[in-house]
Amino acid sequence: AQAEQEARFRSLVQHATDVVTVVDAAGTVAYVSPALRRVLGLPLPDLSPGRAPRFTAFLHPDDHAAAAHFLDAVVAGGREHVSAAVVWRARHADGSWRHIETTATNLLDDPTVDGVVLNWRDVTERLRLEEELVHRALHDPLTGLANRTLLRDRAEHALALSSRHPEGTRTVAVLLVDIDDFQ
């Protein structure tokens, strides 16, 4: 019965859509699921002793320090600490950078896992759509120019900024241009 449960679990992890990675406290990869091929188009790395990469090898160089800090916080969080989701950039096999949402669970004290489990998924398309929605909310669809909502936000920001400076050192002005009833 236990062998059957282990086989079922292995099959679930092998066919998951999220990449499941197990790393040690230093960030060296001990296991990575085949979903790495689907998500980043990359072959599974060599995980033999002395050759296994750090998990940051998949990430954009500018994200390495934040990723190392993230792992340190998860390890310091103790047994079964689950992190909040963070987003990093990872290189796809086609050379593009993808946004990867990652959560981590500290299972270093669990003898069957003996590591930190990182679950990550590609959220590039979701973030692109969110940016598009924000742009549509703040810009005119015909001209692409800023709309009244963005003008109001920027004016409020400018006024707040000017109020923090001594009297007369920062002035805010608004110029209204009306060309043939096109404001």
Side-chain angles (χ1 to χ4, degrees):
Q2 185 172 353
E4 191 175 297
Q5 268 188 321
E6 288 174 7
R8 184 179 320 136
F9 176 75
R10 186 174 18 266
S11 182
L12 288 172
V13 170
Q14 296 287 324
H15 295 94
T17 56
D18 290 357
V19 178
V20 177
T21 308
V22 178
V23 299
D24 64 14
T28 303
V29 177
Y31 172 80
V32 63
S33 69
L36 182 68
R37 288 188 204 109
R38 288 188 300 277
V39 174
L40 294 178
L42 298 173
L44 295 176
D46 180 1
L47 299 179
S48 58
R51 303 203 55 166
R54 289 182 43 84
F55 82 100
T56 54
F58 300 106
L59 305 180
H60 190 283
D62 292 346
D63 294 338
H64 286 194
H69 179 69
F70 170 79
L71 181 63
D72 290 344
V74 171
V75 170
R79 183 176 170 81
E80 297 187 20
H81 172 79
V82 178
S83 73
V86 295
V87 177
W88 296 315
R89 294 162 292 173
R91 171 130 11 230
H92 191 274
D94 66 9
S96 66
W97 290 102
R98 305 293 172 93
H99 290 88
I100 304 296
E101 181 180 73
T102 306
T103 58
T105 305
N106 183 344
L107 296 177
L108 287 164
D109 292 338
D110 184 332
T112 59
V113 178
D114 191 31
V116 175
V117 178
L118 303 173
N119 291 302
W120 28 299
R121 68 180 58 150
D122 186 349
V123 294
T124 305
E125 187 64 17
R126 185 191 82 200
L127 293 178
R128 187 192 65 74
L129 289 172
E130 287 174 3
E131 287 174 6
E132 184 179 326
L133 286 173
V134 168
H135 185 270
R136 285 183 182 185
L138 301 175
H139 294 81
D140 179 76
L142 180 63
T143 64
L145 297 172
N147 64 17
R148 291 175 194 261
T149 304
L150 185 57
L151 170 66
R152 186 177 297 114
D153 176 69
R154 297 294 162 85
E156 287 172 359
H157 179 72
L159 288 170
L161 189 62
S162 71
S163 69
R164 288 187 226 137
H165 288 79
E167 188 68 34
T169 60
R170 182 166 290 232
T171 304
V172 176
V174 175
L175 175 65
L176 174 64
V177 178
D178 185 356
I179 304 172
D180 294 331
D181 295 325
F182 183 78
Q183 297 182 348

